[in-house]
Amino acid sequence: MSAALDTTTEARAHRAVSLETIGMTKRFGSLTALEDVSIKVEAGTVHALLGENGAGKSTLVKCIMGFYQPTSGTVLVDDHEVGIRNPRDAHAHGIGMVYQHFTLVPSLTAAENLVISRAHPPAVIDWRKEMRGLDEFLSRMPFKVPLDVPVSSLSAGEKQKLEILKQLYLDQHFLILDEPTSVLTPGEADEVLGLLRGMTRTGDLTILMITHKFREVTEYTDAFTVLRRGKMAGAGKVGAVSVDEMSKMMIGDATIREGAARTPMHDQPVVFEVAGLFADGDEGLPAVEAVNLKVHAGEIVGVAGVSGNGQSELVEVLSGQRDASDGRLFIHNKPFVPNRDHMDRYKVFGLQEEPLRNAAVPRMTVGENISFRIFDKPPITTLGWWLSPGPMRARARELIASYRVKTPSTEELMENLSGGNVQRAVLARELSSQVDVLIVANPCFGLDFASVAEIRAQIMEQRNRGAAVLLFSEDLDEILELADTIAVMSGGRIDYVVPAAEADRTSIGRAMAGH
Amino acid sequence: MEADSNLTIVLLAMLAGAIRVSTPFLFVSLGECLTEKSGRINLGLEGTLVFGAMTAYAISYHSGSPWLGVLVAGFAGSLFGALHGYICKLPRVNDIAIGIALMLFGTGLAFFLGKAYIQPQAPRLPSIQLGGWSDNAQVQSALQINPLFLVGIALAVFLWWAFRNTRWGLIVRMTGDSAPAALAMGYSVNWVRFTATTVGGFCAGVGGAFLSLYYPGSWSEGLSSGQGLMAVALVIFARWNPLACFGAALLFGAAGALGPALQSIGVTQGYYFFNAAPYVLTLLIMIASTSPKRSLKGAPGELSITK
């Protein structure tokens, strides 16, 4: 029987622990990922850990969890120094972590996942007894999930709740949450964070939360620490420091490109139209249902929604990677089939999410990747089949220079570039000629602030030049910043379309949850 | 009347065939089911099956005990499984390529070592007469059941139960579906897969023993004719469910008995075509159960073919 079920309610009260790191430093060879970081998380509080990608947040929590051994520095739990050599040691001290990527086993049910996660599950499982124990455990918990269906059929929000429940079931009372709300609707995020904050208030729990959403920091956390380039950039009590100051701590003195101004557009024609589109997902179940969209010239239509509501399937259909089961596409009122010929004729381009995986060939060179749209046309190709590498490299060099792609040469393999540079190389390929229709999906996922600003400015520029832009994003702030019209996708359908000027967070959030 | 009795004869013969021929399918597919549930594919089971058949025959011939032969065949099979499991845990090794290599190695080694046993007669496994209640000779012969068939059923039920109700079952499923999750909980993915492949090899070896010691009941080089490979297809058809493996094994057994059954009522035309029924069935099942538009339902997420 797990310890979680043995302890009585009385004993559970006020068991939150404090955690402190002193002078944490981690070097990987010559690279210093973390340098002399000391943070203090008081018992029974929610502490936010802020920083850009690559600032050292995950290195720090991995050192706390025992995935990495710090080069120097110590961890104190309740003011006692503890040695954590591996995640099991961390668990023994009551420290648990909820990862951004789910660690649940998809084919197992929630109950099976919980039971097998215990340190010593019984050799033969008495399900009647286990279910009684689990029901009793859930009755004490602030949120519920169905126990007897495979995890793969739970929604992203339910999975995230189950991940948190798992840590509580294992009797962890110091939780590290890695961007816990990235897969939740705004409503779910408020629910989960509110309930967790409640548990810290009663002294049951201490939370260290990695996040980049300032709204969550100001509403749900007590204190914060900011990391930048592996070093402490600031810390303080929430409320004593303004959001502007926090974001300055995160970015430092790096200059951020100004967002391109929005040129007013009036009475532009419809360029791109999606009519009654249906498509099936990988499981053969309907993923996109009866989607209708119209995008005018010089307009950005932003499609908001929690991931997994059919957006990726829709993007795949629009970019020719998946067959639609029904429905049609039109460009300038002419039927459009997303194949190479039509894309070329109608000047349709796209920025896919995770470009290294979806829009580039990692083991071909940067030069080749940049030429994918034009390699079969003169001057690169003569007689329709003869490729000349010379003009190809020359064109690639031009684009590399004008889009500031950091690469040693055109002959470098694509996979050796950093995320921001891969995205810039793909931008160079897609945006360097006349663009009539642009399909964009989560273009800024995992990029640093400077790249994000640059890419958003590029998208805005294309709109101002008259392109019809369809932007899919899981980041509501991105949609609110860029879109002229906001559509919300939920359960494979788009039932809510509103001009950006009239949109408000609450009704968008409700539409995302399918209401 | 004539047609009626002919139909009865064919159906009875197919039932008898289902029971007789299905056992090796059953053992190999249960072994493969276990291996695949842990996230690895062992295509080498064809070689293991043939090698098990040779070993069982040789041991039975020398010791006079067919049951000892079965046991040793199982251990020989687990050696092959262990070899596969060991090689596959080395970095950058593809389990399918290793499987094919081991399939050729197993059959080749069995032919090489088994040359001497093609002629001699080894003691065969006994059967249990369950048809005493009927005075129809055909029913009686159909219900001559080998104990290994019953062991196979018990094993299928046990695996089905164990996958949900034991710690080991859950760990195997977890490893097969999400290696990162298993690692995060401190289980050694390689060790689980190594063990599952070894035990799977044991099952395939026992299946081979049935071939040489019961039906057809002698050792020859064309003994298996691809049954080990068909059993792999059968696991996909059975959607990685041990109980469904049993049903699928019966179906394949019945298909295999179609040719001889038709011959026994005088339909000789297309004998070789009907003998090919299991292969045709394999092909049809593979076509029917896959689709370019969706991923296989129920497939363990870590399998290299579904990734």
Side-chain angles (χ1 to χ4, degrees), chain A residues 52-53 100 179 212 351-355 419-420 423-424 427 440-460 471-479 481-482:
Chain A
E52 288 203 63
N53 285 298
Q100 213 176 352
E179 302 202 10
H212 60 257
L351 302 175
Q352 302 261 355
E353 61 187 337
E354 292 185 69
Q423 186 64 289
R424 272 197 283 275
L427 278 175
V440 191
N442 292 318
C444 301
F445 185 76
L447 300 185
D448 56 76
F449 278 101
S451 310
V452 166
E454 163 119 30
I455 285 162
R456 287 184 184 163
Q458 293 266 10
I459 294 171
M460 188 57 84
L471 165 73
F472 292 80
S473 178
E474 285 153 29
D475 183 352
L476 191 52
D477 295 323
E478 182 166 72
I479 302 259
E481 180 188 330
L482 293 177

Side-chain angles (χ1 to χ4, degrees), chain A residues 9-53:
Chain A
T9 323
E10 284 78 19
R12 286 180 53 82
H14 314 299
R15 294 177 321 124
V17 293
S18 67
L19 186 138
E20 199 175 342
T21 69
I22 297 176
M24 289 294 249
T25 301
K26 176 69 189 171
R27 291 198 185 88
F28 298 99
S30 62
L31 176 83
T32 304
L34 204 61
E35 198 177 339
D36 193 24
V37 172
S38 305
I39 67 169
K40 182 156 175 57
V41 184
E42 304 280 355
T45 61
V46 184
H47 193 104
L49 185 57
L50 295 161
E52 288 203 63
N53 285 298

Side-chain angles (χ1 to χ4, degrees), chain A residues 335-385:
Chain A
F336 166 69
V337 183
N339 58 25
R340 192 172 172 86
D341 180 39
H342 275 205
M343 283 184 191
D344 191 38
R345 192 181 321 155
Y346 295 115
K347 303 191 171 50
V348 181
F349 293 89
L351 302 175
Q352 302 261 355
E353 61 187 337
E354 292 185 69
L356 190 61
R357 226 182 68 193
N358 292 318
V361 182
R363 295 205 180 153
M364 286 172 83
T365 66
V366 176
E368 286 165 334
N369 270 287
I370 286 185
S371 311
F372 281 167
R373 291 276 181 193
I374 49 164
F375 77 93
D376 51 355
K377 291 184 210 162
I380 298 178
T381 297
T382 40
L383 302 172
W385 59 278

Side-chain angles (χ1 to χ4, degrees), chain A residues 258-286:
Chain A
E258 282 287 310
R262 189 184 297 270
T263 323
M265 298 274 177
H266 299 289
D267 303 322
Q268 296 291 324
V270 172
V271 175
F272 184 51
E273 187 178 353
V274 179
L277 198 74
F278 287 80
D280 291 343
D282 285 337
E283 306 288 331
L285 299 170

Side-chain angles (χ1 to χ4, degrees), chain A residues 205-225:
Chain A
L205 200 61
T206 310
I207 291 174
L208 176 64
M209 177 168 85
I210 297 178
T211 182
H212 60 257
K213 295 179 182 163
F214 287 120
R215 193 181 67 87
E216 291 172 359
V217 176
T218 52
E219 284 183 28
Y220 295 105
T221 66
D222 303 293
F224 70 91
T225 301

Side-chain angles (χ1 to χ4, degrees), chain A residues 163-239:
Chain A
E163 289 277 2
I164 294 170
L165 282 177
K166 187 169 95 182
Q167 295 304 324
L168 299 173
Y169 177 72
L170 295 176
D171 206 29
Q172 313 293 358
H173 25 267
F174 186 96
L175 287 194
I176 300 173
L177 308 177
D178 190 358
E179 302 202 10
T181 58
S182 55
V183 295
L184 304 180
T185 65
E188 282 176 320
D190 286 337
E191 182 201 354
V192 168
L193 290 179
L195 292 168
L196 286 176
R197 183 182 170 86
M199 290 184 77
T200 62
R201 284 288 148 86
T202 55
D204 285 334
L205 200 61
T206 310
I207 291 174
L208 176 64
M209 177 168 85
I210 297 178
T211 182
H212 60 257
K213 295 179 182 163
F214 287 120
R215 193 181 67 87
E216 291 172 359
V217 176
T218 52
E219 284 183 28
Y220 295 105
T221 66
D222 303 293
F224 70 91
T225 301
V226 182
L227 297 185
R228 187 174 72 236
R229 295 193 191 143
K231 293 183 194 147
M232 285 275 287
K237 290 253 178 277
V238 171

Side-chain angles (χ1 to χ4, degrees), chain A residues 81-321:
Chain A
E81 185 175 334
V82 292
I84 297 174
R85 291 179 307 275
N86 53 47
R88 286 209 164 199
D89 287 353
H91 293 157
H93 290 292
I95 308 170
M97 177 157 174
V98 175
Y99 301 86
Q100 213 176 352
H101 302 286
F102 294 124
T103 57
L104 298 166
V105 186
S107 70
L108 266 56
T109 66
E112 286 173 332
N113 265 293
L114 288 177
V115 169
I116 200 66
S117 67
R118 295 209 305 249
H120 303 287
V124 173
I125 298 158
D126 177 356
W127 277 114
R128 209 171 305 158
K129 195 178 91 186
E130 295 296 343
M131 289 312 278
R132 263 204 310 276
L134 286 169
D135 283 337
E136 193 273 329
F137 163 72
L138 277 187
S139 69
R140 285 191 275 116
M141 286 298 124
F143 34 79
K144 315 271 172 252
V145 285
L147 283 178
D148 47 5
V149 294
V151 165
S152 55
S153 61
L154 296 180
S155 73
E158 283 173 320
K159 282 184 205 163
Q160 183 66 282
K161 288 179 189 168
L162 183 57
E163 289 277 2
I164 294 170
L165 282 177
K166 187 169 95 182
Q167 295 304 324
L168 299 173
Y169 177 72
L170 295 176
D171 206 29
Q172 313 293 358
H173 25 267
F174 186 96
L175 287 194
I176 300 173
L177 308 177
D178 190 358
E179 302 202 10
T181 58
S182 55
V183 295
L184 304 180
T185 65
E188 282 176 320
D190 286 337
E191 182 201 354
V192 168
L193 290 179
L195 292 168
L196 286 176
R197 183 182 170 86
M199 290 184 77
T200 62
R201 284 288 148 86
T202 55
D204 285 334
L205 200 61
T206 310
I207 291 174
L208 176 64
M209 177 168 85
I210 297 178
T211 182
H212 60 257
K213 295 179 182 163
F214 287 120
R215 193 181 67 87
E216 291 172 359
V217 176
T218 52
E219 284 183 28
Y220 295 105
T221 66
D222 303 293
F224 70 91
T225 301
V226 182
L227 297 185
R228 187 174 72 236
R229 295 193 191 143
K231 293 183 194 147
M232 285 275 287
K237 290 253 178 277
V238 171
V241 180
S242 75
V243 167
D244 276 351
E245 283 173 82
M246 281 189 225
S247 61
K248 269 206 200 85
M249 291 177 190
M250 281 167 78
I251 302 160
D253 37 8
T255 47
I256 298 285
R257 180 172 164 168
E258 282 287 310
R262 189 184 297 270
T263 323
M265 298 274 177
H266 299 289
D267 303 322
Q268 296 291 324
V270 172
V271 175
F272 184 51
E273 187 178 353
V274 179
L277 198 74
F278 287 80
D280 291 343
D282 285 337
E283 306 288 331
L285 299 170
V288 177
E289 292 183 73
V291 164
N292 294 300
L293 276 175
K294 278 182 186 165
V295 191
H296 300 75
E299 179 190 34
I300 298 179
V301 173
V303 181
V306 180
S307 74
N309 274 284
Q311 299 97 319
S312 35
E313 285 85 357
L314 180 52
V315 173
E316 283 170 13
V317 171
L318 299 182
S319 23
Q321 295 167 320

